[in-house]
Amino acid sequence: MGMDGASPTAPVAAPPGYLDQARNLAATVPANLLAVLTDELNRSGPAGAIEVCREKAPQMARAASERSGWNVRRASLRNRNPKGVPDAWERAALERFDTQAAAGAAAPTLETWQVVDEGGRQVFRYAKALPTQALCVQCHGSVDKLSEPVKAKLQALYPADRATGYQPGQIRGALFLKKPI
């Protein structure tokens, strides 16, 4: 069950066009969210941006799913949103990304894919690491460096938050895409 993006070792090759579609979508969705977050940060600061990330990110993922035909979601080993818990395949991809990053691989280059059997049907799965951007540490950085309004908003919205302590460049999570073959 290899998941090495550069040379997949899965027994079934990616269907024609699937990898290109996944890569395109994986480049578009985070870039769109980053633009929306940047606008909101400039308008209302980090505490206001938490609401946008909470509401807009899932809306944008649903819209991308509907528009593209792919299932699109984000997950993390240290999730903030309770819905962002990885399944077994996603967890393995995230752990592999962390291992690769610790060995010196650049987080923005990390991806993996595989054709898997899910409930008797073949599904193409793709993952792209999401590195922490400089603006992200305003809400995902060291707790002692977060502003009091951010801490209060996080406590109110995400009392079980596990998504702090990141530095720019670290893998915050991944974008996961899947589509039946």
Side-chain angles (χ1 to χ4, degrees):
M1 297 223 320
M3 294 192 334
D4 185 1
S7 56
T9 57
V12 179
Y18 272 53
L19 183 57
D20 288 339
Q21 289 174 30
R23 284 177 169 158
N24 184 52
L25 200 52
T28 304
V29 172
N32 290 345
L33 178 59
L34 192 59
V36 169
L37 282 175
T38 300
D39 288 346
E40 191 59 33
L41 279 166
N42 291 334
R43 187 174 22 264
S44 63
I50 293 170
E51 290 282 352
V52 167
C53 199
R54 176 184 167 102
E55 301 297 325
K56 291 287 186 189
Q59 289 173 2
M60 293 172 83
R62 276 191 303 276
S65 294
E66 291 167 8
R67 186 174 56 251
S68 68
W70 289 80
N71 177 292
V72 179
R73 72 183 229 106
R74 294 180 308 158
S76 175
L77 294 174
R78 291 172 31 207
N79 58 298
R80 172 162 288 164
N81 184 329
K83 294 178 181 176
V85 176
D87 66 20
W89 190 89
E90 293 165 344
R91 174 171 294 285
L94 287 162
E95 289 171 351
R96 179 177 220 146
F97 290 161
D98 282 347
T99 299
Q100 290 171 318
T109 68
L110 298 177
E111 64 176 0
T112 189
W113 63 86
Q114 186 177 23
V115 175
V116 298
D117 184 274
E118 287 187 2
R121 69 179 186 177
Q122 296 219 306
V123 176
F124 180 78
R125 296 200 71 171
Y126 175 87
K128 176 76 173 163
L130 295 173
T132 304
Q133 304 295 317
L135 66 85
C136 301
V137 297
Q138 295 175 71
C139 300
H140 291 284
S142 298
V143 174
D144 61 332
K145 294 184 180 173
L146 300 179
S147 72
E148 290 306 317
V150 166
K151 289 180 190 177
K153 182 73 83 167
L154 290 176
Q155 182 58 39
L157 296 176
Y158 302 105
D161 182 33
R162 301 173 53 216
T164 56
Y166 288 96
Q167 297 177 16
Q170 287 184 309
I171 297 170
R172 165 70 186 92
L175 186 71
F176 294 99
L177 309 173
K178 69 179 179 176
K179 186 175 184 179
I181 297 175

